[in-house]
Amino acid sequence: MSKVVVTRRPPGNAIERVRQVADVWMWPENRAIPAEVLAAEVVDAVGVYSMLTDTIDGTLLDMAPGLQVVSNMAVGVDNIDLAACADRGIAVGHTPDVLTDSTADIAWLLVMASTRRMQEGIDLVRAGEWKQWDPEGLLGHDVSRSTLGIIGMGRVGQAIVMRALGFDMDVMYTARSAKPTVETHLGARRVPLDQLLATSDHVVVAVPLTSGTHQLIGERELAMMKPTANLVNIARGPVVDTEALYEALSNGTIRCAGLDVTDPEPLPPDHKLLTLKNCTVIPHTGSSTWRTRTAMADLAADNLIAALTGEPMPHRVPGT
Ligand code: NAP
Ligand code: GLV
Ligand code: GLV
């Protein structure tokens, strides 16, 4: 049988199904596979079952002349050089839809935790500083009846709007193309980015990381936001300029931020963002539920198996 490299063990029994069509070599450790180990193992592989922490670029692909498919256990494919795959006729699979709800939930968790100062509250309680109820204790800003701006109105963006309905929010969005059904059924308006930034109380970033979105939110964009605004990033760290965000949070340009993704990622424990009370950071757990991660693992296996058996892949990345 042909060899498939699995770069890290996923939850569930997806890999058992891959074993029925291929010889599986799986990185045994509970950390990302080192690049040099991956490079050595792909040499005679027909498929790679990859994680978002693996860099799949032209140099790596050149070492794998027999490679037919890269199946990423993620919806985002910014870790993969798609053009290099397309040039070599390598199909790329990813895992949309199955993680949309969990990710939209985490976006809401961060919108609320950040604006209602949850991190500060937890720290205060654990430090023994909760002495009495305080009429001015940890005042934040409301989520209900506020204005929400979503940058990127794809699967995750739309699931975020669905959740906003219960909070009676005014919702606006940006995307490359208009979403008439979102406007008609969910009442969200498409506006230019600058207008969204200037008028939103909460800005949620939900675009893929591409050359067009790299540092989409930088010093200029942060300066346009309200001084009371809350910025939430559940997309990819490099969509936001970390240095500019640190400055904006330290000098009051915006009030707070909630991050599921960071640049760099992981954020080192001594990173200056972590010295800020108004910055809530969680470790890229947007899709991290048993149901969702198992479904992602299954879908990545389905994509890989389909590609290797000559069937249409359930979710092949367009252009590959
Ligand atoms: P999607 O359905 O492809 O949606 C992406 C949206 O971004 C689309 O509406 C697209 O516009 C828009 N967009 C792309 N480039 C843009 C630009 N330059 N300016 C404005 N909008 C732009 O993807 P998804 O499933 O919602 O996922 C989005 C991203 O979230 C993923 O790529 C991934 O990086 C990230 N993600 C993170 C987690 C996590 O664990 N934190 C989980 C899931 C996803 P059009 O519709 O007009 O093309
Ligand atoms: C998670 O970040 C994903 O892209 O699946
Ligand atoms: C708060 O707990 C209140 O009862 O107002």
Side-chain angles (χ1 to χ4, degrees), residues 50-52 72-77 79 93-96 99 236 296 300:
S50 57
M51 305 290 136
L52 58 82
N72 214 34
M73 199 188 106
V75 64
V77 285
N79 58 309
H94 70 150
T95 62
L99 80 184
R236 283 292 182 270
M296 290 164 68

Side-chain angles (χ1 to χ4, degrees), residues 255-293:
R255 207 183 60 76
C256 55
L259 310 175
D260 184 46
V261 289
T262 59
D263 179 24
E265 190 171 307
L267 210 54
D270 59 351
H271 194 282
K272 60 185 175 181
L273 266 186
L274 299 178
T275 65
L276 299 174
K277 286 188 167 175
N278 53 348
C279 189
T280 304
V281 182
I282 56 174
H284 202 151
T285 48
S287 63
S288 197
T289 70
W290 285 102
R291 183 174 70 186
T292 294
R293 286 279 170 86

Side-chain angles (χ1 to χ4, degrees), residues 2 25 74 81 97 107-108 112 118 135 138-139 145 151 157 159 164 169 185 208 218 222 255 266 270 303:
S2 319
W25 179 91
D81 184 336
D97 301 330
W108 274 101
M112 301 190 79
M118 185 164 163
L138 291 178
L139 299 179
R145 299 192 301 281
I151 301 177
M169 297 175 96
H185 295 297
L222 290 159
R255 207 183 60 76
D270 59 351
N303 282 330

Side-chain angles (χ1 to χ4, degrees), residues 14-315:
I15 302 307
E16 296 316 309
R17 289 191 297 115
V18 178
R19 285 189 204 283
Q20 290 166 15
V21 301
D23 261 336
V24 170
W25 179 91
M26 183 157 63
W27 170 243
E29 296 187 28
N30 190 21
R31 62 181 174 112
I33 188 172
E36 64 276 13
V37 177
L38 178 57
E41 291 297 337
V42 293
V43 170
D44 53 351
V46 294
V48 176
Y49 184 107
S50 57
M51 305 290 136
L52 58 82
T53 39
D54 305 322
T55 299
I56 313 276
D57 58 13
T59 311
L60 182 81
L61 299 177
D62 283 341
M63 306 181 85
L67 200 62
Q68 297 168 23
V69 56
V70 175
S71 181
N72 214 34
M73 199 188 106
V75 64
V77 285
D78 49 280
N79 58 309
I80 301 171
D81 184 336
L82 298 178
C85 288
D87 285 349
R88 292 160 178 79
I90 297 169
V92 178
H94 70 150
T95 62
D97 301 330
V98 294
L99 80 184
T100 295
D101 284 327
S102 306
T103 308
D105 290 347
I106 279 283
W108 274 101
L109 181 148
L110 285 171
V111 165
M112 301 190 79
S114 173
T115 204
R116 298 299 300 271
R117 306 175 64 175
M118 185 164 163
Q119 176 84 51
E120 286 175 83
I122 291 170
D123 289 349
L124 182 147
V125 171
R126 293 198 166 198
E129 287 166 20
W130 182 21
K131 305 292 187 201
Q132 58 202 183
W133 185 82
D134 175 357
E136 293 194 330
L138 291 178
L139 299 179
H141 289 269
D142 280 294
V143 175
S144 56
R145 299 192 301 281
S146 67
T147 301
L148 174 66
I150 305 173
I151 301 177
M153 191 43 59
R155 293 166 290 243
V156 175
Q158 291 178 35
I160 293 170
V161 184
M162 296 281 293
R163 286 151 176 76
L165 295 176
F167 289 87
D168 196 14
M169 297 175 96
D170 184 18
V171 184
M172 60 190 98
Y173 73 93
T174 66
R176 292 173 302 189
S177 56
K179 312 289 170 205
T181 52
V182 174
E183 311 220 356
T184 323
H185 295 297
L186 303 177
R189 302 188 315 285
R190 183 165 174 236
V191 297
L193 177 61
D194 289 0
Q195 184 182 336
L196 181 149
L197 293 168
T199 49
S200 297
D201 298 307
H202 310 275
V203 173
V204 179
V205 182
V207 287
L209 173 60
T210 63
S211 54
T213 63
H214 185 260
Q215 300 205 343
L216 183 67
I217 305 301
E219 187 183 351
R220 186 194 82 91
E221 289 71 27
L222 290 159
M224 299 187 76
M225 292 172 67
K226 294 181 178 182
T228 50
N230 176 23
L231 177 72
V232 167
N233 187 5
I234 54 85
R236 283 292 182 270
V239 178
V240 176
D241 178 342
T242 301
E243 194 60 36
L245 178 62
Y246 174 80
E247 290 302 322
L249 289 169
S250 333
N251 64 26
T253 304
I254 67 170
R255 207 183 60 76
C256 55
L259 310 175
D260 184 46
V261 289
T262 59
D263 179 24
E265 190 171 307
L267 210 54
D270 59 351
H271 194 282
K272 60 185 175 181
L273 266 186
L274 299 178
T275 65
L276 299 174
K277 286 188 167 175
N278 53 348
C279 189
T280 304
V281 182
I282 56 174
H284 202 151
T285 48
S287 63
S288 197
T289 70
W290 285 102
R291 183 174 70 186
T292 294
R293 286 279 170 86
T294 306
M296 290 164 68
D298 283 337
L299 181 49
D302 293 343
N303 282 330
L304 186 95
I305 292 166
L308 293 181
T309 55
E311 300 292 327
M313 293 164 69
H315 284 288

